[in-house]
Amino acid sequence: MIDLRSDTVTKPTSAMKQAMFDAEVGDDMLGEDPTVNRLETSLAEMLGKEAAVFACSGTQSNQMGVRVNCLPGDELLINDTGHIGIFEAGGPAVLSGVTVRQLRAAKGMLSVNDLAGQPRVADQHYCRTRLVCLENTTNIAGGFVYPLEQLQHVSGWARDNDLRMHLDGARFFNAIVAGGYSAAEMAACFDTISICFSKGLGCPMGSVLVGTTEDMRLARRVRKMLGGALRQSGIVAAAAIYALENNVDRLQQDHDNAQLLATKLAAINGINADPGATESNLVFFEVDSELGTAVQLAAALKKRGVCIGPMGGQRMRAATHLDVSEQDVLATADAVRDCVEKGFVDQELVGTGPYSK
Ligand SMILES: *Cc1c(COP(=O)(O)O)cnc(C)c1O
């Protein structure tokens, strides 16, 4: 099976598993896991921040970020495709008492133009607008990469308006590799940054929240409250350290493969793909409605050994990652072409993932 449904499907390699096997561990809740401590320290340093906290998942570290930046009754601003707003089970409302206001920006990337005038005035009727959440790279908005200037512009505006900034960096390192800026340059635009290791970096689990010492002290308490404080978690942190050392630079290959896939798909009649709009490892494309739906195409592809996620209607998303080779990408494009040439409307429907309708 060639699995392009998500970059979360990556499995740890033997070398990564060996690093986990060899990890030096201790009780992290006592601050005594040397591997977790090493991961937290090195990430804080890399991002130019004071501290970091290891978490179980990207959802958990995002929600820790929301809780750290806001008080109950506050409001956060986010693009309407943002993961924190739509894919975290209503977390801000339940865990932080925070309401989510969704805006709509070009390519899912908020600019000062989108945000100006949105914070509510200080009046007893209103909730307090407190936080701006950005996603880089964007997920379902299209896998886009913020230009550094846009991040800096929004960050400066947020500071002028007494708002805090949180980065959903589920694909933080994809953004670094594609954006051509450094981790510290990007992190300087934010108060809190959440980074996932279970996506393109190939780890089985794990995420980190980065920020000030004071904020991370509170984040630790929130993590405990969420049941996410662990003991010998160095076994997992070792995978993250391994990924930082071995799997960051290679993300460029995923981006090249995504570019190749978009180019090959664009050459197929009835498939609408745009290599120019493919900026990272996520390839979004549409199938003409005369041919069938995305769900039907996904079913036909599955019979040919290719898994691609239908995103509702005609839209599909293919994610390249470290378990997908250039050859796999070429085979995928051939499979799509074969489906289009033979027709696929009579496929039984499959694919009831969270993104499909
Ligand atoms: C995957 C992802 C997350 C974290 O999701 P988990 O399932 O908790 O790992 C957060 N934000 C974005 C944009 C994501 O794509």
Side-chain angles (χ1 to χ4, degrees):
M1 250 348 196
I2 300 170
D3 197 345
L4 297 152
R5 284 172 302 167
S6 174
D7 40 10
T8 56
V9 302
T10 52
K11 292 181 183 142
T13 57
S14 348
M16 181 179 277
K17 284 192 271 195
Q18 189 61 47
M20 298 170 79
F21 187 89
D22 294 337
E24 219 187 310
V25 295
D27 190 330
D28 181 46
M29 233 186 288
L30 303 176
E32 289 175 7
D33 190 301
T35 308
V36 171
N37 292 343
R38 189 148 60 90
L39 175 66
E40 291 176 345
T41 306
S42 68
L43 275 174
E45 210 165 275
M46 185 193 299
L47 271 62
K49 297 288 188 196
E50 291 171 355
V53 185
F54 188 58
C56 300
S57 68
T59 297
Q60 188 172 68
S61 54
N62 273 336
Q63 293 302 323
M64 285 155 58
V66 171
R67 187 74 180 81
V68 158
N69 287 304
C70 300
L71 290 171
D74 286 351
E75 165 187 72
L76 68 80
L77 303 177
I78 191 168
N79 192 67
D80 64 0
T81 52
H83 197 277
I84 292 172
I86 55 178
F87 291 132
E88 301 194 3
V94 177
L95 303 170
S96 300
V98 165
T99 57
V100 171
R101 188 139 57 98
Q102 296 173 313
L103 308 173
R104 180 162 295 182
K107 298 168 84 180
M109 297 190 290
L110 290 166
S111 68
V112 170
N113 266 346
D114 303 310
L115 290 159
Q118 296 297 339
R120 299 181 196 273
V121 297
D123 176 281
Q124 63 181 338
H125 290 84
Y126 298 116
C127 55
R128 180 180 70 149
T129 309
R130 182 55 176 156
L131 178 64
V132 176
C133 294
L134 305 185
E135 207 172 273
N136 197 22
T137 61
T138 68
N139 182 351
I140 61 160
F144 297 118
V145 185
Y146 272 89
L148 182 60
E149 301 69 41
Q150 188 171 345
L151 295 176
Q152 290 168 335
H153 195 203
V154 170
S155 178
W157 172 87
R159 257 152 227 172
D160 292 345
N161 286 274
D162 200 22
L163 301 178
R164 285 192 160 219
M165 293 277 291
H166 172 77
L167 174 65
D168 179 349
R171 297 183 179 81
F172 184 92
F173 289 103
N174 294 89
I176 296 298
V177 167
Y181 36 79
S182 73
E185 283 173 318
M186 174 149 69
C189 303
F190 296 92
D191 296 287
T192 51
I193 299 113
S194 154
I195 300 175
C196 280
F197 289 94
S198 61
K199 295 261 160 82
L201 294 185
C203 298
M205 61 176 286
S207 196
V208 170
L209 186 72
V210 190
T212 64
T213 304
E214 194 187 340
D215 284 344
M216 292 309 101
R217 200 175 290 136
L218 175 54
R220 243 170 239 288
R221 182 188 293 275
V222 175
R223 182 184 68 169
K224 179 70 187 163
M225 201 188 300
L226 298 175
L230 302 170
R231 302 297 180 173
Q232 286 75 30
S233 36
I235 287 182
V236 183
I241 292 172
Y242 178 89
L244 287 176
E245 287 167 358
N246 297 280
N247 292 349
V248 172
D249 292 340
R250 63 151 308 286
L251 290 171
Q252 184 60 50
Q253 290 169 34
D254 297 343
H255 299 174
D256 293 345
N257 281 338
Q259 198 56 229
L260 177 65
L261 181 59
T263 306
K264 291 285 177 192
L265 290 174
I268 301 173
N269 270 337
I271 298 293
N272 194 351
D274 184 358
T278 304
E279 299 185 0
S280 61
N281 70 320
L282 303 178
V283 182
F284 289 82
F285 61 97
E286 273 147 34
V287 51
D288 278 357
S289 51
E290 304 90 77
L291 294 176
T293 64
V295 168
Q296 288 167 328
L297 178 55
L301 284 168
K302 201 166 178 192
K303 289 184 176 160
R304 290 163 173 82
V306 175
C307 284
I308 299 185
M311 308 283 290
Q314 306 306 119
R315 195 168 184 237
M316 302 193 87
R317 185 191 73 171
T320 56
H321 51 74
L322 85 177
D323 293 339
V324 173
S325 66
E326 185 180 325
Q327 225 173 341
D328 292 338
V329 162
L330 296 173
T332 297
D334 286 344
V336 173
R337 185 183 290 281
D338 191 52
C339 291
V340 169
E341 282 171 0
K342 298 211 167 82
F344 54 83
V345 279
D346 53 3
Q347 299 297 323
E348 47 185 290
L349 304 189
V350 298
T352 48
Y355 300 128
S356 57
K357 280 192 183 119

